Amino acid sequence: MRFFFLLMLLAGAVLGIGYPFVIQNFSGKEIGSWRVYERGSGFHPIETKLSAADVPVRVLVDMTSIGAPRLTNERTVLTITAATGGRTVLAETLNFVDAAPRADSPQSGERVYRDDGGVISDASDGPYVFTVGPGDAEGIEMKSVDLILRAGAASYDERAQPLGFALMGIGFIGFVLALRRGGHPPNPNSQPPRSRWGRGAGGRS
C-alpha cells in the first residue's frame, strides 16, 4: 500500500504542478520578447503583428524585481491589455502570487517573476498593441518588465490542477498512515540468548 500511495502522490505532483508549468512555459513556439518597462524610463506599449496561424497565443509577463517583493492576491502588481482594430481582445491583472522566482544574477539579488497574462484564442492578421501598466500594489521595486508571446500554445484543462492537488493530499496522508501501520519488523538479534542449562537447553543430561 505504501508504494501505491507514493505513486498517487507523485502522479498528483505531475498533474497539479508539472503539467501546468510545462504547458505555460514550453508549449508552442516563441514569437518574440519585448522590454515594456525599464527603471528610470517607465512603461511603454509595444506593437507587433499576429496572424490567424499563431493562435492560440499565450501572453507571459516577466517582472524583474529588486529584492523580494510582498505579493498578495488583494493587490495588483501589473495590468495588461491587448487591442487590435480598435477593440480590446485581452485584459488581465497580474499579481505574481503563484510565480516561482528565479535569480536573475546571484550577485545582484534581483529576482524574476513570471505570470500568465492569458491566451488570445481568436486572432486575425494585423497589428496588435500590448499595453502593460502599474497596478495598485505598493512597495514593489521593479527593475524591468518583459512581454513574451508564444504561438500555438496549448491550453491546459482547468480541472487538472485541483485534481492533482487532491491526489497529492490523499497520497501523502495514505503514505504516512501506511508507514505507521506497517511498523518495523522485530529484530531477531534483540531476543535474549537461549539458556545452555536446565530443561530445553538441548545439552546432554
Side-chain angles (χ1 to χ4, degrees), residues 134-170:
D136 59 357
E138 299 177 353
I140 297 178
E141 296 186 66
M142 291 182 289
K143 178 186 177 183
S144 61
V145 177
D146 295 304
L147 173 72
I148 302 98
L149 301 180
R150 298 188 67 88
S155 58
Y156 60 85
D157 194 331
E158 296 290 342
R159 298 168 297 180
Q161 197 167 45
L163 178 59
F165 290 153
L167 288 176
M168 287 175 63
I170 296 172

Side-chain angles (χ1 to χ4, degrees), residues 23-46:
I23 291 296
Q24 175 180 316
N25 292 279
F26 300 108
S27 66
K29 63 178 181 178
E30 185 172 306
I31 298 174
S33 175
W34 298 265
R35 179 65 49 90
V36 294
Y37 171 83
E38 191 77 49
R39 188 178 178 88
S41 60
F43 291 92
H44 61 273
I46 65 102

Side-chain angles (χ1 to χ4, degrees), residues 3 11 16-17 20 35 58 65 70 79 83 90 92 102-103 122 126 138 148 164 181 196 199:
F3 183 69
I17 300 174
R35 179 65 49 90
R58 184 169 296 280
S65 71
R70 295 181 61 184
T79 63
L90 180 75
E92 293 289 343
R102 63 183 189 272
D122 183 15
E138 299 177 353
I148 302 98
R181 290 178 181 177
R196 298 175 59 88
R199 296 182 178 179

Side-chain angles (χ1 to χ4, degrees), residues 6-186:
L6 180 60
L7 286 179
M8 183 180 292
L9 176 62
L10 294 176
V14 170
L15 194 61
I17 300 174
Y19 167 63
F21 179 81
V22 170
I23 291 296
Q24 175 180 316
N25 292 279
F26 300 108
S27 66
K29 63 178 181 178
E30 185 172 306
I31 298 174
S33 175
W34 298 265
R35 179 65 49 90
V36 294
Y37 171 83
E38 191 77 49
R39 188 178 178 88
S41 60
F43 291 92
H44 61 273
I46 65 102
E47 181 177 310
T48 187
K49 288 186 177 180
L50 298 179
S51 69
D54 293 328
V55 296
V57 177
R58 184 169 296 280
V59 181
L60 301 170
V61 178
D62 281 357
M63 175 190 67
T64 302
S65 71
I66 301 173
R70 295 181 61 184
L71 305 171
T72 67
N73 287 312
E74 288 75 26
R75 296 291 183 181
T76 297
V77 178
L78 295 171
T79 63
I80 180 171
T81 62
T84 182
R87 64 186 182 93
T88 300
V89 295
L90 180 75
E92 293 289 343
T93 59
L94 309 175
N95 55 36
F96 297 91
V97 171
D98 297 324
R102 63 183 189 272
D104 186 43
S105 171
Q107 293 79 20
S108 66
E110 297 167 355
R111 293 175 172 82
V112 181
Y113 295 80
R114 171 169 289 189
D115 206 347
D116 189 348
V119 174
I120 299 175
S121 56
D122 183 15
S124 55
D125 298 354
Y128 285 72
V129 177
F130 292 84
T131 305
V132 178
D136 59 357
E138 299 177 353
I140 297 178
E141 296 186 66
M142 291 182 289
K143 178 186 177 183
S144 61
V145 177
D146 295 304
L147 173 72
I148 302 98
L149 301 180
R150 298 188 67 88
S155 58
Y156 60 85
D157 194 331
E158 296 290 342
R159 298 168 297 180
Q161 197 167 45
L163 178 59
F165 290 153
L167 288 176
M168 287 175 63
I170 296 172
F172 176 76
I173 295 173
F175 184 74
V176 171
L177 292 177
L179 283 178
R180 290 181 176 179
R181 290 178 181 177
H184 299 283

